[in-house]
Amino acid sequence: MPTSHADVVTEHASRYLQQLCKHWAHKFPVAFDLNHGTIDLSLGRTVLDADPAALHIAVTADEAGSLERLETVVTDHIKRFAFREELTFDWRKASAA
């Protein structure tokens, strides 16, 4: 399945991870704690890992055409939560094994 990753530099990674998971918990299957979260969206799966310096995001789409859409949806939501800082999302496609 198509996958991509982004490492987003921020001191507020855990906060954004929790906000995103709580935001979608009413609509999709979600599991999270302070440092790890998974969200099973209709477009695919999002896995989030927070450390003190960055939010690490992996998205896996059910089909290739949905991967960019999933990246955009996740990016847009996190940017809304992080309106006080300018975040950079450099999505990198995972190579096929």
Side-chain angles (χ1 to χ4, degrees):
M1 292 202 291
T3 301
S4 62
H5 303 80
D7 298 313
V8 182
V9 176
T10 177
E11 294 177 2
H12 307 291
S14 179
R15 178 189 308 163
Y16 301 146
L17 178 155
Q18 293 174 70
Q19 282 182 290
L20 188 64
C21 289
K22 288 176 185 175
H23 176 75
W24 276 328
H26 69 283
K27 205 169 177 186
F28 302 105
V30 171
F32 70 99
D33 59 28
L34 296 177
N35 299 306
H36 179 77
T38 59
I39 306 165
D40 291 315
L41 300 157
S42 54
L43 292 170
R45 178 170 247 222
T46 300
V47 177
L48 307 143
D49 288 293
D51 65 38
L55 178 61
H56 308 281
I57 309 166
V59 293
T60 303
D62 297 328
E63 43 190 66
S66 299
L67 189 62
E68 284 186 24
R69 178 72 184 128
L70 185 53
E71 291 170 356
T72 300
V73 167
V74 170
T75 297
D76 289 350
H77 278 76
I78 294 173
K79 281 186 174 183
R80 271 187 252 144
F81 300 142
F83 63 90
R84 290 182 181 91
E85 65 180 311
E86 186 67 35
L87 300 179
T88 301
F89 292 77
D90 183 20
W91 290 101
R92 297 172 317 281
K93 308 291 188 258
S95 53

